[in-house]
Amino acid sequence: MVTLQLSQISAYQALKVPEIWRYESKNLEISLLQGDQYVKSLISPTFPTFSITELIPRFVEMARTIGMSSALRAFRQSVREQISCRAFNLHN
């Protein structure tokens, strides 16, 4: 299993994938390509204003308990609320 993961990471490095997310054991790990190596990060440059490492695990676990459809609706609502709050704060 570890060999497979290392070969996958090597493939991502060869393709110069700038950001990798890996969810395991109720944790989301973000790795960013710096030079030719991946380094762990707490923030995703793709979504810098979202707490991705908190949001994704919360909603993945929610999907396991209440179901995928309900969790996706809750996730979408959460994202909409965060976007609305940021837009409101920008204009005030």
Side-chain angles (χ1 to χ4, degrees), residues 30-83:
I30 299 172
S31 296
L32 305 177
L33 186 63
Q34 291 187 353
D36 61 350
Q37 297 293 316
Y38 283 99
V39 294
K40 291 181 183 179
S41 176
L42 296 175
I43 298 168
S44 165
T46 305
F47 302 100
T49 59
F50 288 94
S51 299
I52 295 297
T53 56
E54 294 172 16
L55 280 175
I56 298 300
R58 182 174 56 159
F59 286 103
V60 168
E61 292 307 311
M62 185 184 292
R64 290 182 176 159
T65 58
I66 66 170
M68 182 68 78
S69 295
S70 296
L72 281 172
R73 279 192 294 276
F75 177 75
R76 287 184 198 113
Q77 184 60 37
S78 174
V79 170
R80 284 185 196 110
E81 288 170 2
Q82 289 186 37
I83 290 170

